[in-house]
Amino acid sequence: MSSPRRRFVLYYLNQVDGEVEIGELADEVAAWENDTDVDDLTSQQRKRVYVSLYQTHVPKMEDAGIIEYDSDRGVVALADQADDISAYLSREEDGRPWQRYYLGLAAISALFYLAVEFGVAGFAALGEFTAGLLIIVAFAAMAIVHLIDTQRSGGEISTELIDNRRR
């Protein structure tokens, strides 16, 4: 899924929730890559993406079990395994900034540990072992909450992940 084109294919198929003709898929990818409407695409833009999807991307994604391609009908659809992949690419648009939560917890943990280490009033009774254990428990709790939140919010592929357009 390192290719932005493949990520967009996954994103688009997830949006339509069913089969799509490979020509329509190529038009949507070309419009996205060229930052234009499907109606404004040139035949060269359409053809370049169609050939790339037909010869490279669709076969690779089909071999990986992410999509199903019916060459007789010329239609592409998400495979059942795509849900597994989508879970790794998922993020709600209004998702939580987990990296900031972890950074904040790290900063608070560092201050807490320093307070214990230097015997600040109220923290002096705690030992280093207890402080370390509390910090580990805090990070474990944060990770569990993050995991639960991620599992509940799954489903949509983040447009942030496909925003690396090749021009």
Side-chain angles (χ1 to χ4, degrees):
M1 296 314 303
S2 62
S3 165
R5 192 170 277 179
R6 286 187 215 134
R7 288 193 305 266
F8 186 78
V9 166
L10 240 182
Y11 171 77
Y12 185 74
L13 291 174
N14 207 15
Q15 296 301 307
V16 296
D17 197 30
E19 296 180 338
V20 175
E21 290 184 8
I22 193 167
E24 176 188 339
L25 182 59
D27 288 351
E28 291 295 333
V29 172
W32 167 72
E33 287 183 355
N34 291 286
D35 200 22
T36 189
D37 292 327
V38 171
D39 296 335
D40 296 331
L41 289 170
T42 66
S43 62
Q44 185 63 29
Q45 290 169 326
R46 290 174 198 268
K47 182 178 179 180
R48 186 186 44 161
V49 173
Y50 180 88
V51 169
S52 171
L53 288 178
Y54 181 78
Q55 291 181 348
T56 305
H57 300 295
V58 168
K60 281 186 178 184
M61 293 175 78
E62 184 179 32
D63 289 345
I66 299 168
I67 63 170
E68 296 172 355
Y69 176 56
D70 183 342
S71 58
D72 293 334
R73 294 178 36 228
V75 294
V76 179
L78 287 175
D80 292 337
Q81 188 176 344
D83 290 340
D84 297 336
I85 303 297
S86 295
Y88 292 102
L89 300 175
S90 296
R91 184 179 76 79
E92 284 187 1
E93 289 301 316
D94 297 321
R96 291 177 175 70
W98 286 103
Q99 65 279 12
R100 290 184 181 167
Y101 294 162
Y102 284 105
L103 183 61
L105 182 58
I108 291 168
S109 296
L111 292 174
F112 171 70
Y113 188 80
L114 289 172
V116 170
E117 183 66 28
F118 291 112
V120 174
F123 296 96
L126 295 172
E128 290 180 13
F129 176 78
T130 305
L133 188 60
L134 289 172
I135 291 169
I136 290 169
V137 168
F139 273 95
M142 176 78 80
I144 290 168
V145 170
H146 186 173
L147 176 66
I148 292 169
D149 182 68
T150 301
Q151 288 176 341
R152 286 185 181 166
S153 68
E156 288 194 25
I157 298 171
S158 171
T159 54
E160 181 179 285
L161 289 169
I162 59 171
D163 208 23
N164 303 333
R165 297 180 184 177
R166 284 191 283 175
R167 293 179 195 242

